Amino acid sequence: TLRWVLRSTLRFAPDGRVIYVGRRANRARVWVGHRPGPGFAGIAQLRLAHTGRVAYVGRRNGQHHVVVVGRVGPGYDEVRELRFSPRGRRVGYLARRGKRWHAVVDGKERAGAAGLRGLTFSDHGRQVAWAAQVGGRARVVLDDRPGPLHDGVRFATLTFDARGTLLYVARDRGRYRVVRGGAPGPAYDRIERPTVS
């Protein structure tokens, strides 16, 4: 029997299955329909794609594991920004092992850096980008290809237009530019988040 169900996690998959986090035998588990997932000391970042795929982070023995459709991934010291691509076919997250952060996309561990933020998929899901800290500077990595170094990158501005072109705001020499497709635009004293129509 269940000891408790975390009410805030209750949701319905597109096929009508109920998904929730509950505790049984002193282990937290994600239930998909009537099937419990593997047991963990704690569960966070429960995600449900519109395709019905489920992903979450489970913690056990001081390690954080991403579970995608019941499969437990490798252990990391920390996991953040777990997300599905807009069409729900791909999954990615940022994970730290020791002092290095890695982008993990579709189970494949990618770039390592002192800091990573802003994991973003394009609308069709074929492209993925993130911002990486390189010493005291930053760059954007697009599909494993590192872009130019900047004094800073506003990772929250990473976005793709309808054609799959990456845009973001970067800072160099105290001025801000919108970088579109790798090409920096005019310099401004301030730029708000770019909007893609």
Side-chain angles (χ1 to χ4, degrees), residues 21-184:
V21 174
R23 184 170 287 274
R24 183 168 72 182
N26 292 324
R27 304 302 279 174
R29 300 172 189 274
V30 171
W31 264 259
V32 179
H34 298 292
R35 304 181 110 183
F40 293 95
I43 290 173
Q45 300 187 57
L46 178 62
R47 305 287 186 257
L48 172 63
H50 66 84
T51 58
R53 296 179 74 202
V54 176
Y56 55 92
V57 178
R59 180 177 45 81
R60 65 165 73 131
N61 302 323
Q63 293 280 288
H64 296 80
H65 303 263
V66 171
V67 181
V68 182
V69 194
R71 293 185 178 174
V72 180
Y76 293 97
D77 297 321
E78 187 179 350
V79 171
R80 64 183 177 205
E81 298 189 27
L82 172 62
R83 58 187 44 126
F84 284 104
S85 63
R87 295 186 182 178
R89 295 185 183 130
R90 306 182 74 190
V91 65
Y93 56 93
L94 304 179
R96 180 178 60 82
R97 184 180 292 123
K99 295 182 178 179
R100 301 285 288 176
W101 282 91
H102 302 273
V104 183
V105 181
D106 300 328
K108 180 184 173 189
E109 192 174 287
R110 300 196 179 186
L116 299 179
R117 294 299 297 269
L119 182 77
T120 306
F121 286 100
S122 60
D123 286 345
H124 48 65
R126 289 191 294 270
Q127 296 173 285
V128 61
W130 58 85
Q133 178 184 339
V134 182
R137 305 188 77 194
R139 67 169 27 126
V140 171
V141 179
L142 173 62
D143 294 327
D144 293 325
R145 296 186 310 271
L149 280 170
H150 302 284
D151 293 339
V153 170
R154 280 201 198 146
F155 65 87
T157 64
L158 268 73
T159 189
F160 288 88
D161 67 15
R163 294 180 180 158
T165 303
L166 179 65
L167 295 94
Y168 61 91
V169 174
R171 179 178 49 81
D172 288 302
R173 299 189 183 100
R175 306 282 304 252
Y176 296 89
R177 300 174 188 268
V178 173
V179 180
R180 184 175 190 273

